[in-house]
C-alpha cells in the first residue's frame, strides 16, 4: 500500500533536498534565504543551475540530473504529494546535483537572484487555453524569468499540446525571437541537439504518445531587453483536453 498524503508531507519536511516555501511563508520571512546563494549554501558548488517549472512527480528533474551531472537541477511545483516521488528517489540514491522547491510558480522570481539560473525547462505544462496570463510561456511569465535567468539563458518547452506549442511559436515570432531548436514531432528526430529532450520520457508523455499524439519541442534564448508582446492570433483548441477530469481518468485506465 502506498503512502498517504500526510506521510508524504512528513517525508518532504524531513528531506534535506526539499525546500518548502509557499508564498504565505515567504511573506512572513520577507526575503528568501537561498536567493542568490543556491550554489554556495545548497549545492556547495558553482555548477550552472537549471529549473524545471511544474515538475510534478520530478521524473524529468531526476532524469536531467542523472544525465548531466555537470549541472545542478531544481524541480519546482506547489503539489508536494506528487513531488515526493522524485525527492525520495534523489535522497535514496544520494544525488548531490538535484533539489526541489515547493512553491507557486507565479512567485518564482522571489526565489532566485539576477543571473542565478542558466536554463528553464517547461515540460508538459497546462496549456491554460482559457487564460493567456496563466500560460508558462506568456509574456508575464517570461518577464518573471528575465529577473533571474542569465542574459540569453535557454528556455526549453516540451509539450503534447498543439495549442500551447502554437501559442509559443507565435509569441516568439511576434517578438523576433528565433528558436534554437524546433520540432513538432520530437521522436522523429535523430540529431544530437534533441537528444536530451528525447532521452527522458515521463508517465504522462508515454500516455500521450500511446494515444497517437506527437510530442513537440522547442528551445529559445530569452533576451533581457525589449518589451515583450503577446501574439494577436486565434489558435485552435486541443480537443482531447476538453474531456472532464473523470472522463480523462477512465481513458487513461484503458491504456
Amino acid at each position: 500500500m502506498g503512502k498517504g498524503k500526510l506521510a508524504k508531507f512528513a517525508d518532504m519536511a524531513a528531506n534535506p533536498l526539499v525546500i518548502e516555501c509557499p508564498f504565505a511563508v515567504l511573506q512572513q520571512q520577507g526575503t528568501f534565504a537561498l536567493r542568490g546563494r543556491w550554489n554556495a549554501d545548497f549545492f556547495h558548488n558553482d555548477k550552472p543551475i537549471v529549473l524545471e517549472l511544474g515538475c510534478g512527480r520530478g521524473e524529468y528533474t531526476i532524469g536531467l540530473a542523472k544525465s548531466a551531472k555537470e549541472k545542478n537541477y531544481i524541480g519546482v511545483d506547489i503539489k508536494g504529494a506528487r513531488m515526493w516521488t522524485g525527492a525520495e528517489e534523489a535522497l535514496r540514491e544520494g544525488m548531490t546535483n538535484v533539489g526541489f522547491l515547493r512553491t507557486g510558480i507565479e512567485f518564482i522570481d522571489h526565489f532566485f537572484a539576477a543571473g542565478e539560473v542558466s536554463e528553464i525547462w517547461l515540460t508538459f505544462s497546462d496549456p491554460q487555453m482559457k487564460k493567456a496570463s496563466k500560460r508558462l510561456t506568456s509574456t508575464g511569465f517570461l518577464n518573471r524569468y528575465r529577473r533571474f535567468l542569465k542574459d540569453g539563458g535557454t528556455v526549453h518547452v516540451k509539450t503534447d499540446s498543439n495549442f500551447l506549442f502554437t501559442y509559443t511559436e507565435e509569441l516568439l515570432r511576434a517578438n523576433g525571437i528565433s528558436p534554437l531548436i524546433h520540432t513538432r514531432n520530437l521522436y522523429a528526430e535523430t540529431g544530437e541537439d534533441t537528444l536530451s529532450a528525447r532521452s527522458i520520457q515521463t508517465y504522462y508523455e508515454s500516455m500521450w504518445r500511446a494515444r497517437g499524439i506527437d510530442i513537440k519541442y522547442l528551445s529559445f534564448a530569452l533576451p533581457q531587453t525589449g518589451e515583450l508582446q503577446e501574439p494577436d492570433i486565434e489558435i485552435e483548441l486541443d480537443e482531447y483536453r476538453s474531456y472532464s477530469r473523470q472522463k480523462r481518468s477512465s481513458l487513461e485506465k484503458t491504456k
Side-chain angles (χ1 to χ4, degrees):
M1 182 179 294
K3 283 196 172 187
K5 281 190 175 183
L6 291 179
K8 289 181 178 180
F9 288 147
D11 287 346
M12 293 284 282
N15 191 326
L17 300 182
V18 177
I19 303 296
E20 299 188 275
C21 192
F23 192 63
V25 175
L26 182 64
Q27 285 181 308
Q28 292 175 352
Q29 294 177 347
T31 56
F32 182 63
L34 285 173
R35 189 171 189 264
R37 299 202 54 82
W38 281 93
N39 280 118
D41 296 346
F42 186 85
F43 291 111
H44 307 292
N45 61 48
D46 59 358
K47 298 175 183 177
I49 293 175
V50 182
L51 306 185
E52 184 194 3
L53 302 182
C55 69
R57 300 179 185 186
E59 301 159 275
Y60 218 87
T61 302
I62 293 292
L64 288 169
K66 287 181 177 180
S67 65
K69 295 183 179 179
E70 71 278 7
K71 299 177 183 179
N72 296 320
Y73 292 88
I74 303 173
V76 183
D77 208 298
I78 191 60
K79 296 184 178 179
R82 289 197 307 184
M83 192 189 295
W84 173 88
T85 302
E88 284 296 297
E89 180 179 347
L91 182 63
R92 184 172 62 251
E93 297 192 12
M95 298 179 70
T96 59
N97 69 326
V98 65
F100 291 89
L101 172 63
R102 189 173 78 84
T103 195
I105 297 173
E106 62 269 32
F107 311 120
I108 192 64
D109 50 315
H110 293 271
F111 293 90
F112 299 92
E116 192 169 17
V117 174
S118 295
E119 300 176 54
I120 293 172
W121 280 83
L122 305 174
T123 53
F124 301 94
S125 308
D126 188 329
Q128 297 289 348
M129 292 184 284
K130 292 184 178 181
K131 196 166 185 180
S133 63
K134 290 188 175 183
R135 297 171 200 154
L136 295 189
T137 56
S138 69
T139 56
F141 275 98
L142 293 184
N143 281 322
R144 288 182 177 94
Y145 306 155
R146 279 175 158 182
R147 294 170 192 153
F148 58 80
L149 192 63
K150 290 182 177 179
D151 189 17
T154 305
V155 178
H156 305 265
V157 180
K158 187 178 181 184
T159 182
D160 60 285
S161 170
N162 181 68
F163 178 89
L164 181 63
F165 196 78
T166 302
Y167 167 79
T168 305
E169 287 178 317
E170 294 300 327
L171 185 144
L172 295 182
R173 185 175 292 112
N175 291 283
I177 301 173
S178 298
L180 301 172
I181 304 172
H182 177 281
T183 176
R184 282 186 165 268
N185 189 353
L186 175 62
Y187 290 97
E189 302 290 331
T190 58
E192 287 292 321
D193 57 350
T194 58
L195 183 59
S196 62
R198 286 184 283 114
S199 62
I200 305 165
Q201 190 169 153
T202 68
Y203 168 79
Y204 285 106
E205 183 173 357
S206 300
M207 181 186 75
W208 298 133
R209 292 190 71 199
R211 290 174 59 182
I213 297 171
D214 290 336
I215 304 303
K216 297 88 175 163
Y217 169 69
L218 65 78
S219 65
F220 61 94
L222 181 62
Q224 285 288 329
T225 59
E227 183 178 353
L228 297 173
Q229 305 291 330
E230 285 287 329
D232 184 15
I233 186 173
E234 290 189 15
I235 303 171
E236 184 178 357
L237 301 181
D238 297 327
E239 290 186 1
Y240 65 96
R241 285 181 175 270
S242 66
Y243 291 123
S244 67
R245 182 179 297 276
Q246 182 177 3
K247 188 170 183 180
R248 284 204 305 270
S249 297
S250 65
L251 284 170
E252 291 167 18
K253 291 174 184 176
T254 64
K255 295 296 179 180

